[in-house]
Structures are given as structure tokens and as C-alpha cells.
Amino acid sequence: MDRRELLELLRENARYSTADLARQLGADEEAVETAIAELEAEGVIRGYKAVVDVEQLDDTPVRAFVECNVALDRETGYGDIAQRLVKFDEVRSLRLVSGDYDFALEVEDDSMGALSRFVSEQVAPVPEVTQTVTHFIMTSYKEGGIEFGDGDDDDRLSVTP
Amino acid sequence: MSEFRIADRVASVPPSGIRRFFELAEEMDDVISLGVGEPDFTAPWRARQAAIDSLERGRTSYTANRGMAELREEIAGYVERYDLSYDPDDEVLVTAGASEGLDLAFRALVDPGDTVAVVEPCYVSYRPGVTFAGGEVLSVPTRAEDGFELTRDLLERSGAADADLLVLCYPNNPTGATMDREGLAEVAAFARENDLTVLSDEIYAELTYEGEHASIAALPGMRERTVVFNGFSKAFAMTGLRLGYALGPADAVGAMNRVHQYTMLSAPTTAQYAALTALRKCADDVGDMRDQYDRRRRFVLSSFEEMGIDCVEAEGAFYAFPEAPGGDAEAFAEDLLEAERVAMVPGTAFGAGGQGHLRASYATGIDELREAMARLRRFLDAEQ
């Protein structure tokens, strides 16, 4: 079985049943189960989550991107700093990026106040952190590859040659 | 009512065989249609953007009759992947869809009384096109037992040796059949021996899932007797932009262009700009769509197999052509539509060889396909 294609399908919809995955891959169900188990064991698949439009929730959490600059020294590398930051539940993603700053954090909290406090009390004081710039997310048009619009209606004729 | 006397060659052509079925399906709500002969995807965004840009820049005049030189060059380069080599100056003609190209070929190459062998089941336009041009249609039915491929034996038995032209389409609508080089070589030999002109509709070329697409025009001695048709409707999901092209020797394409210049003048300019960008920048979009069709194809074929429905292993286009359980495709299609709101087109709409079969298009999202297969399963269970 083509693992790349299996991953593509799971990244498209992690809730496909094993039977439907098998049908689409032209493989048998057992082989699909085995491949998924392997991918999980190898750490290629790290989890399965729903893509939620949080703006539709009653209690919309507040989210922000935080640009974060750090100063390294002989004893401290990017990995060491990352290890401290990933432990916070508020940090939804943490990436080392190229460009004007070092880390890009995606943080989420219950309110703007709580999120601001988190950045100023937990991120900024980390000794190696020299600067943070916080961008609050105002609205989201696409998450995890899924567009948040109403979608296009299928305007094709129902039967055509 | 007025009292027009409709010309015989038009009056003699029956309305499309899928028309009645279309009307049935249109009357109902909540129908999942596997009866659609066009992609469910929209044209790649870059191609649409190019169309918009061209409008903003005011590119709204005619182009050269044969199509923009830049586009013809791009097309000539693009088809090299199929071992086809055509001079963009006089061997490439940009048309309003591959359908216009076929119509031009019939009008330019068929004299009244000429016989055109049409490989069936096939797209619904070939027969009327031949009739409009004054030609006689000779049906060459293919069979499920041959995987709906065309063989020398089928050509011989149907009397195609005496025909003037041969029309074939692989990957095929409605069967999903493809033909490899070896199979086509047999057909090519027959065409050469019997001096047949070949019109090869390759509109689904890019949507080949097993092996590589082979063009009959690339076989020895075939270029000089073949016109190839392709376009942007299927692989690039640009049906409504109406853009296709014909490739052939200068005399054939020149004659087709003579009809084209007096009737169409030039293919839609906006669409030509979209097509230029489609060829230059949308290979990834085509690849993604092809991957998705392929998964759906496997999904549908596996589902049919699980349900005990016999179906030839469709390897191209976006159709499967299963046998109708019980044998009566019209009755089955109508009952299924009535009971479970799933539309599949009876194979007879596509000519000889289609009886007893249903065309299931998988140009439909995977979620709808899953639901359609679940409904079909329920329908079959209830029938037993």
C-alpha cells in the first residue's frame, strides 16, 4: 500500500472508516489498519483533531500569533528554549522560522486579557527571549486546509452526456 | 406554433437519449447524481485569475482564427508528452471545445454518402455530427468481454473495412476503458490497410490511471491519417469556458479552419487566456484532481465488487460502466432513482454495446459517492 496516499487521505479526513480508506486505496482493510498503526508508532501520525470554526462557539477563545526573538548562548540552543515554551497548554503551535524573528507561536486563551497576561508573564520573561510581537487573530477564512466560507453550490446539470 | 420545415438532416436526429432521464432526475429532490459528464471541480484558480486579468486588460477582441499563436505553441509543446509533434503554425487549431473540433472535422472531411465508423458505446455527439455532415454512421460496438477495447476482430465484423473514417475515444466515455499502444497498434494497422482516416477523441487523455495514455496518432504511419482532439474541459475542469483543440496534418486542419473561420471566427478569447495559464501553471492542479478521481475510481470499483455488481476495470476518464443487476438498465436506473434518489445513466444512451449497462460518473465528491454507494447497497438488499 502507498503510505503517502494513505496519509493524504487521513490528512483530508481523519474520520474515514478503515473500510472506506481501503476502498479508496484499492487495498484490504487489514493492510490499512497495519499501516496506520505503524505510522502512529513511528510518530509520523501525531494525533487526530477536528478543524473547528471557533468563531461559531458561544465562548469563542481568543487566539494570537506571537513573533518571538531570542538570544542564544553557548549553553542554550533553539531546542532548549522551545522545550520550555511547548509545555504551556496555551501554546497551540510553536515553530522555528526563517526571517525577521525566530519563533512563531500560536497561542490560545479564554480572553484577550488572559492571553496578554500569558505572553507578558510566561513568554516574555524567559531569559533568552529578547522581544515578542503579538498579533491577535480577528477572523479566520481557512484553517487546516479547510475554507470557512459557505462553499460553492454544485451548479452542474444533474445529468449530462 | 410556427410552421418551420425543419431540415431533414436535423429532423432525422433523435433527441439525446439521456434527455428523458435528465428530466426525471431534475424533478426530484435530494438526488445524488452519478450522471454528470463533467468535473465537480472548478477550474484551477490561476487559470480563472488569468481570465479575469485578460478582461481587466481589455483583451476582448477576436484572436487569430486558429487561436492565439502563443497558445498554439504552448499546446504543441504540451502534447509532446504523448509523443505527438505538431507545427503550431498550421497543424494546431484552437476550437470552442473539443466538440466544435469534431464537428469541424465531420464537416471538413465527410462528403454526403461517406461512411463513418463510430466505435460505441461513445459520447452522444458523434452520430449526430456525422449525420449533420451528410455522412452515414456505421456502428462498431465494443464489448464488456474485451474490456470495451476496440479490436481488429470487432472492426472486421462490423464492416469497418469499407468505411471512410473511424471515430474512436480512449479513455472512453462512457465505459472508462483505455487502450495501450499494443491494442492501438492493431487498430492502426487496420486503418492503414483499409485507408481509413482516424478521428481520435482524446479529451480524457490526462485522466489515465493505469499506465500512460497512448495516442494512436503517435504510431507509425498514423500521423498523416489522424486528427487528434483534446481540450481543457475534463483534465482542467474548464467545461464552461468552452476550449479545445485539434491536431493534425496541415491539409486536414486547414480545411477544418476554413469552416471554423466562417462559423466560429475564433475560440473565446477569455478562455484562450485561461488555457494559456492552465498549460503553463496548472499541472499540479491537474495532478491533484487526477489523484482524487483515481481514489474515487477505486472506491466505486471496490464498492461494486463488494455488492456483486459486475464491472469492467475502468482505467480512465471518470466513469465506470457496470452491468445493471437484472439486465434491464433502463428499468434498474429508473427504479433506483425512484427508490433511492441515485441517478446513473442507462448505457443505451451511448449507442450499441451499451445495453444492460449503467454509466456511473465519479466526478462527484467522495462524501456523495459514499452515500450513493450506501443507497445502492440498500436498494439491492431490498430487491432481494
Side-chain angles (χ1 to χ4, degrees), chain A residues 44-117:
Chain A
V44 176
I45 293 177
R46 296 286 184 151
Y48 304 87
K49 292 200 164 186
V51 177
V52 175
D53 183 357
V54 294
E55 287 163 42
Q56 298 199 34
L57 303 177
D58 292 335
D59 299 313
T60 304
V62 173
R63 295 170 303 158
F65 282 107
V66 181
E67 301 172 3
C68 184
N69 266 309
V70 297
L72 303 181
D73 58 43
R74 264 189 213 134
E75 276 78 46
T76 321
Y78 287 121
D80 301 311
I81 303 165
Q83 275 315 309
R84 293 182 183 213
L85 296 173
V86 289
K87 302 294 181 203
F88 294 107
D89 287 343
E90 289 85 346
V91 176
R92 309 294 294 175
S93 72
L94 172 64
R95 294 158 177 137
L96 181 65
V97 297
S98 62
D100 289 341
Y101 52 95
D102 300 309
F103 287 109
L105 289 77
E106 206 182 331
V107 295
E108 184 175 314
D109 215 325
D110 295 338
S111 67
M112 220 177 236
L115 199 151
S116 304
R117 274 196 302 284

Side-chain angles (χ1 to χ4, degrees), chain B residues 4-341:
Chain B
F4 285 104
R5 195 190 64 78
I6 304 302
D8 290 342
R9 66 182 176 285
V10 173
S12 69
V13 171
S16 164
I18 66 167
R19 185 75 210 172
R20 199 178 70 84
F21 203 71
F22 166 73
E23 280 161 7
L24 277 178
E26 282 289 283
E27 282 169 15
M28 295 180 192
D29 293 330
D30 190 32
V31 170
I32 296 183
S33 183
L34 307 186
V36 189
E38 64 174 318
D40 55 314
F41 300 104
T42 40
W45 176 239
R46 283 176 183 80
R48 283 187 274 160
Q49 194 71 56
I52 296 166
D53 284 352
S54 77
L55 290 170
E56 283 181 347
R57 283 183 284 123
R59 304 279 190 255
T60 54
S61 24
Y62 297 127
T63 67
N65 292 135
R66 292 168 186 266
M68 300 191 301
E70 235 182 332
L71 177 58
R72 278 181 277 132
E73 274 163 31
E74 203 65 43
I75 289 167
Y78 177 80
V79 300
E80 282 175 8
R81 69 188 61 200
Y82 304 126
D83 296 325
L84 299 174
S85 166
Y86 291 96
D87 184 340
D89 286 340
D90 56 4
E91 295 184 322
V92 177
L93 178 63
V94 179
T95 55
S99 292
E100 193 220 352
L102 278 150
D103 179 50
L104 295 175
F106 293 139
R107 288 202 270 170
L109 306 176
V110 176
D111 267 324
D114 281 356
T115 300
V116 180
V118 175
V119 181
E120 296 184 318
C122 67
Y123 184 57
V124 300
S125 294
Y126 307 150
R127 260 177 189 275
V130 171
T131 307
F132 294 150
E136 305 288 334
V137 171
L138 173 80
S139 172
V140 183
T142 56
R143 307 175 302 183
E145 60 203 274
D146 304 315
F148 293 107
E149 290 185 37
L150 179 60
T151 64
R152 169 182 275 274
D153 182 46
L154 292 171
L155 284 163
E156 274 164 4
R157 276 194 295 157
S158 56
D162 297 326
D164 301 288
L165 285 88
L166 172 67
V167 185
L168 70 158
C169 172
Y170 290 98
N172 182 264
N173 174 8
T175 64
T178 58
M179 283 188 69
D180 60 15
R181 236 183 118 79
E182 215 171 26
L184 287 172
E186 231 182 82
V187 176
F190 183 89
R192 286 192 303 266
E193 286 159 26
N194 296 288
D195 196 24
L196 296 181
T197 291
V198 175
L199 304 183
S200 182
D201 181 352
E202 299 177 20
I203 187 75
Y204 293 100
E206 290 88 342
L207 303 179
T208 300
Y209 310 108
E210 307 281 342
E212 304 267 299
H213 171 71
S215 173
I216 193 167
L219 297 175
M222 290 309 291
R223 189 187 186 280
E224 55 264 42
R225 61 174 66 251
T226 306
V227 181
V228 174
F229 303 85
N230 200 341
F232 297 87
S233 293
K234 311 298 179 179
F236 293 90
M238 286 166 47
T239 42
L241 278 87
R242 309 306 308 124
L243 208 74
Y245 50 90
L247 310 164
D251 49 353
V253 166
M256 289 163 62
N257 184 43
R258 198 166 316 159
V259 181
H260 175 76
Q261 71 186 354
Y262 286 122
T263 51
M264 187 62 67
L265 279 89
S266 61
T269 303
T270 311
Q272 291 193 51
Y273 280 101
L276 193 56
T277 294
L279 291 178
R280 286 179 177 166
K281 296 187 175 161
C282 299
D284 287 350
D285 299 79
V286 173
D288 284 349
M289 290 189 272
R290 180 176 39 227
D291 288 350
Q292 292 200 49
Y293 288 133
D294 192 15
R295 284 175 208 146
R296 298 166 180 184
R297 175 182 75 96
R298 290 184 296 221
F299 178 82
V300 166
L301 291 175
S302 305
S303 300
F304 286 155
E305 198 185 334
E306 288 163 23
M307 287 182 252
I309 297 175
D310 288 323
C311 185
V312 167
E313 186 85 12
E315 297 186 341
F318 35 62
Y319 309 105
F321 204 57
E323 278 180 32
D328 185 341
E330 276 85 4
F332 185 89
E334 276 177 39
D335 293 349
L336 176 65
L337 181 61
E338 192 75 38
E340 289 288 353
R341 303 284 196 261

Side-chain angles (χ1 to χ4, degrees), chain A residues 6-7 10 35-48:
Chain A
L6 171 62
L7 274 174
L10 287 170
I36 292 176
E38 281 171 10
L39 287 163
E40 289 172 352
E42 290 165 21
V44 176
I45 293 177
R46 296 286 184 151
Y48 304 87

Side-chain angles (χ1 to χ4, degrees), chain A residues 5 8 24 156 158 160, chain B residues 26 33 38 295 298 359:
Chain A
E5 203 169 12
E8 244 176 79
Q24 292 185 74
R156 299 177 298 163
S158 58
T160 54
Chain B
E26 282 289 283
S33 183
E38 64 174 318
R295 284 175 208 146
R298 290 184 296 221
R359 189 188 72 171

